[in-house]
Amino acid sequence: MRIEQPKDYREVEDLTQEGQLPQFCQSCGMPLIKNEDCGTNADGSINFDYCQYCYKEGKFLQNCTMEEMIEHCAQFIDEVNKQMPKPMTKEEYKQMMQGFFPMLKRWSSESHQSLLKDDRVATE
């Protein structure tokens, strides 16, 4: 389920409504609950598809493969476990991400190929 983008994002603090699941970053899977969690487009507007850690000013902040992103995200297992009813091991978390990430926009085969061609990764 996708959250509709608000017309004026500055008036919206919480991107979810009661009983609604959060949107997830389409690169790392982080929940996007507040505007501050979201990345930014080239024009400075909020990008509701990606988090602030993955996407800034219209560009990805990391040039990595899906597998490298999974390894990167796995280091945050302690933070993830704070939100889980039953803690996961790092290996269980990596296995879960391996099943989930291919469904994310950045890593779906069609999107991933076009992003590689576009070279829309920040080179800082």
Side-chain angles (χ1 to χ4, degrees), residues 50 60 106 111-120:
Y50 299 103
F60 289 106
R106 184 174 185 187
S111 292
H112 188 60
Q113 293 305 315
S114 67
L115 290 175
L116 288 174
K117 290 177 187 171
D118 283 354
D119 191 35
R120 291 191 293 177

Side-chain angles (χ1 to χ4, degrees), residues 3-12 15 35 48:
I3 298 171
E4 280 190 41
Q5 293 183 7
K7 290 186 168 108
D8 186 357
Y9 62 84
R10 292 167 294 221
E11 294 178 9
V12 178
L15 298 177
N35 285 340
F48 292 94

Side-chain angles (χ1 to χ4, degrees), residues 15-31:
L15 298 177
T16 60
Q17 297 175 1
E18 189 173 334
Q20 184 178 31
L21 293 174
Q23 170 78 12
F24 293 94
C25 174
Q26 295 297 299
S27 177
C28 73
M30 181 181 114

Side-chain angles (χ1 to χ4, degrees), residues 25-106:
C25 174
Q26 295 297 299
S27 177
C28 73
M30 181 181 114
L32 302 175
I33 297 170
K34 299 194 179 296
N35 285 340
E36 294 79 31
D37 298 333
C38 298
T40 57
N41 295 312
D43 65 2
S45 64
I46 291 179
N47 183 295
F48 292 94
D49 286 332
Y50 299 103
C51 75
Q52 64 173 323
Y53 305 109
C54 289
Y55 202 74
K56 184 177 180 181
E57 298 174 355
K59 296 182 184 215
F60 289 106
L61 299 175
Q62 324 71 13
N63 184 11
C64 61
T65 65
M66 183 181 79
E67 291 75 21
E68 291 168 334
M69 180 62 80
I70 288 170
E71 283 297 322
H72 172 74
C73 292
Q75 71 181 316
F76 302 109
I77 186 62
D78 292 337
E79 191 63 32
V80 170
N81 277 333
K82 291 178 186 177
Q83 311 300 320
M84 302 297 280
K86 180 182 175 223
M88 288 187 280
T89 66
K90 188 175 185 178
E91 288 307 311
E92 289 171 328
Y93 187 45
K94 286 166 62 172
Q95 187 175 14
M96 183 194 77
M97 288 186 286
Q98 288 167 348
F100 176 62
F101 274 36
M103 294 182 273
L104 298 176
K105 186 184 280 188
R106 184 174 185 187

